């Protein structure tokens, strides 16, 4: 079972994070200050960390920077009530791996942690989902031996979906990973590209591999 360290000074938020992770089969330990978090995060048995940026004793940016300087590469999901883009950039430069703004949906937080956990898996040169195959070297996609003609954005979108088969990927996660932009809830850009990708992936008579999860996002398989 994956093991996550939750560094959060608000007891209610820390408990909610731990409960949501438990519902996804992920165990969690909680600490409530920056100094406690720095000490605990150096233990080798944690697979990921959720880190509040505003902590007593030591702020989250300083904490994650110290971890990286000490060679600790445990993936970090930074969480903050600050919606400032500069704060997000500063945090990622300090060595964080992803960022979530309060208030957040618990399932969004858990989905991002699951993505960070999967990134720990060994590098692959090919991705497969059923009869769908993506060659990460040649950038060629095939389904049932049939080569798919994908535009660059469609390729990136398919690659992101195939890296996390069976997992619900939220629109915010897709937008940030594929387009590299902060998600705008008013845009239909993702839905348009998903529809185009489906038309190329699913030939007549083939079952659809890209599924819509109402109110959440999309999943492959």
């Amino acid at each position: 079972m994956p093991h996550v360290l939750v560094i959060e000074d608000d007891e209610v938020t820390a408990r909610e994070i731990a409960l949501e992770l438990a519902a996804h089969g992920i165990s969690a330990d909680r600490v409530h200050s920056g100094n406690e978090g720095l000490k605990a995060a150096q233990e080798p048995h944690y697979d990921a960390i959720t880190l509040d940026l505003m902590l007593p004793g030591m702020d989250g940016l300083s904490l994650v920077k110290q971890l990286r300087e000490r060679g600790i590469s445990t993936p970090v999901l930074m969480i903050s009530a600050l919606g400032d883009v500069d704060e997000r950039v500063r945090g990622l430069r300090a060595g964080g791996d992803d960022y979530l703004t309060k208030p957040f949906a618990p399932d969004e937080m858990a989905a991002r942690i699951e993505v960070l956990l999967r990134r720990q898996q060994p590098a692959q040169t090919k991705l497969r989902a059923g009869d769908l195959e993506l060659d990460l070297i040649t950038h060629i996609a095939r389904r049932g031996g049939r080569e798919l003609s994908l535009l660059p954005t469609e390729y990136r979108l398919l690659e992101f979906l195939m890296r996390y088969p069976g997992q619900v990927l939220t629109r915010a996660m897709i937008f940030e990973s594929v387009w590299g932009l902060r998600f705008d809830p008013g845009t239909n850009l993702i839905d348009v590209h998903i529809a185009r990708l489906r038309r190329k992936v699913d030939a007549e008579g083939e079952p659809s591999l890209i599924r819509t999860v109402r109110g959440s996002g999309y999943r492959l398989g």
Side-chain angles (χ1 to χ4, degrees):
M1 176 184 288
H3 199 185
V4 171
L5 175 63
V6 177
I7 308 174
E8 168 63 62
D9 65 324
D10 182 75
E11 176 60 33
V12 173
T13 301
R15 185 168 62 251
E16 289 177 349
I17 291 173
L19 287 173
E20 184 66 25
L21 291 176
H24 289 255
I26 301 169
S27 65
D29 293 336
R30 292 176 282 165
V31 297
H32 304 293
S33 73
N35 293 330
E36 287 181 296
L38 179 61
K39 181 179 178 181
Q42 295 177 71
E43 296 295 326
H45 54 268
Y46 291 113
D47 301 297
I49 298 169
T50 72
L51 174 64
D52 186 19
L53 288 184
M54 305 299 288
L55 291 167
M58 177 187 298
D59 67 84
L61 293 180
S62 299
L63 193 157
V64 74
K65 185 176 180 181
Q66 286 203 37
L67 289 179
R68 297 308 184 234
E69 288 174 348
R70 298 180 189 192
I72 297 169
S73 58
T74 308
V76 176
L77 172 63
M78 296 179 296
I79 300 174
S80 176
L82 300 172
D84 193 302
V85 174
D86 289 340
E87 200 68 24
R88 178 178 187 268
V89 171
R90 285 173 56 208
L92 294 175
R93 284 177 179 170
D97 300 275
D98 199 0
Y99 184 94
L100 194 59
T101 302
K102 294 179 181 179
F104 55 83
D107 58 347
E108 170 88 4
M109 176 277 304
R112 288 175 181 265
I113 284 292
E114 288 178 329
V115 166
L116 293 183
L117 292 173
R118 292 209 180 195
R119 285 181 189 171
Q120 302 295 87
Q121 297 176 352
Q124 300 171 279
T125 59
K126 289 186 179 181
L127 302 175
R128 293 183 176 85
D131 61 351
L132 181 63
E133 178 182 283
L134 187 65
D135 190 314
L136 300 176
I137 305 299
T138 63
H139 286 198
I140 293 175
R142 292 184 174 88
R143 182 171 185 187
R146 169 176 57 88
E147 186 171 326
L148 310 181
S149 178
L150 301 179
L151 298 173
T153 301
E154 294 167 345
Y155 172 87
R156 293 196 302 272
L157 178 56
L158 182 61
E159 179 185 352
F160 187 59
L161 292 169
M162 291 187 70
R163 285 191 181 277
Y164 309 102
Q167 181 176 327
V168 177
L169 301 172
T170 67
R171 285 177 169 80
M173 294 166 65
I174 294 171
F175 204 71
E176 291 170 12
S177 296
V178 176
W179 280 270
L181 301 171
R182 193 172 183 82
F183 180 57
D184 175 8
T187 183
N188 69 342
L189 191 62
I190 295 173
D191 307 281
V192 169
H193 279 79
I194 287 285
R196 290 175 179 170
L197 185 59
R198 277 185 175 136
R199 288 196 291 269
K200 294 184 178 183
V201 170
D202 304 330
E204 186 175 353
E206 292 178 330
S208 179
L209 292 178
I210 303 172
R211 303 182 183 277
T212 301
V213 182
R214 189 176 299 277
S216 297
Y218 297 94
R219 69 177 173 87
L220 188 74

